[in-house]
Amino acid sequence: MKSILKPLILVVVSVFTLVGCSSVPEHVANPDKNKLGILIMAGEGFNPTYDDPKDQKVRATWLETSKKLAEYLETEIEQEHHTDAEQAINLNSRIDSNTFIAQQFAQKRVDGLIQVRISHIKNTSENTIYLQLAYNAVQYGKNPQGGDTMIIGKGIEEKYTLVGVNFEGSKTPLNYFTHDFIRKLSQKGFIAD
């Protein structure tokens, strides 16, 4: 079973990588948009990693934060925009984000993908924790040989400061960021109003 699963994951990752740059309109004017729903991915592989064992509490904090952000996104998309949404949280630190995304797409068809990423930029001039929310439209079709294809297209990406040098952003409720992102998705026509 494992010998079959590994090549399947590699094929899905390859397809994901190859079609990731394919073109899907930036503004989706399809009345059937999102009838398959939106998949929200977050968790391990999407958050900063720390090598020092003392920093594992920080890592756990970012995991909980990303889970909460995914929950806010799912709730608002479903309740305010009447669109199916589902969270997929990676709890395994040994699985990177691309592999996790490929595994999810091997199991489920959706119209859109939202990635919740937290990054920590720390160097001599900066020590900031950012939240990046990215949406990509997903389309399916057939290749000339009759096989299924999946195209991960264009979308939008927004970057927010969670914690800056002077703790700017740290007092902002997490659902402010998710609400702002969903508002922008709606304005661009990626999700129903």
Side-chain angles (χ1 to χ4, degrees), residues 25-155:
E26 201 165 307
H27 181 82
V28 180
N30 177 1
D32 292 332
K33 66 184 163 204
N34 305 125
K35 70 179 184 181
L36 296 175
I38 296 173
L39 188 57
I40 303 160
M41 297 199 198
E44 295 291 348
F46 298 90
N47 295 336
T49 57
Y50 300 96
D51 295 327
D52 189 337
K54 292 184 276 183
D55 290 330
Q56 293 311 306
K57 286 183 182 179
V58 174
R59 186 176 184 163
T61 298
W62 296 135
L63 178 60
E64 289 304 313
T65 301
S66 65
K67 286 166 62 175
K68 189 53 117 175
L69 287 158
E71 179 185 316
Y72 286 145
L73 286 164
E74 178 184 39
T75 300
E76 185 170 342
I77 290 169
E78 287 185 337
Q79 292 179 0
E80 303 296 324
H81 296 275
H82 311 289
T83 299
D84 287 335
E86 182 180 330
Q87 305 172 48
I89 308 297
N90 182 9
L91 300 176
N92 186 341
S93 62
R94 292 184 294 252
I95 298 176
D96 64 77
S97 60
N98 286 338
T99 301
F100 186 72
I101 291 169
Q103 289 172 342
Q104 298 305 309
F105 277 120
Q107 299 172 23
K108 185 171 187 66
R109 290 176 74 119
V110 294
D111 296 307
L113 163 66
I114 295 177
Q115 295 179 59
V116 177
R117 292 189 178 272
I118 297 173
S119 60
H120 187 177
I121 308 299
K122 186 175 184 178
N123 55 42
T124 57
S125 62
E126 183 177 13
N127 187 6
T128 307
I129 297 168
Y130 293 104
L131 165 63
Q132 293 166 273
L133 298 174
Y135 173 89
N136 295 92
V138 180
Q139 292 182 342
Y140 301 91
K142 296 281 185 188
N143 64 26
Q145 295 77 28
D148 291 332
T149 62
M150 175 184 71
I151 299 171
I152 308 259
K154 292 181 181 178

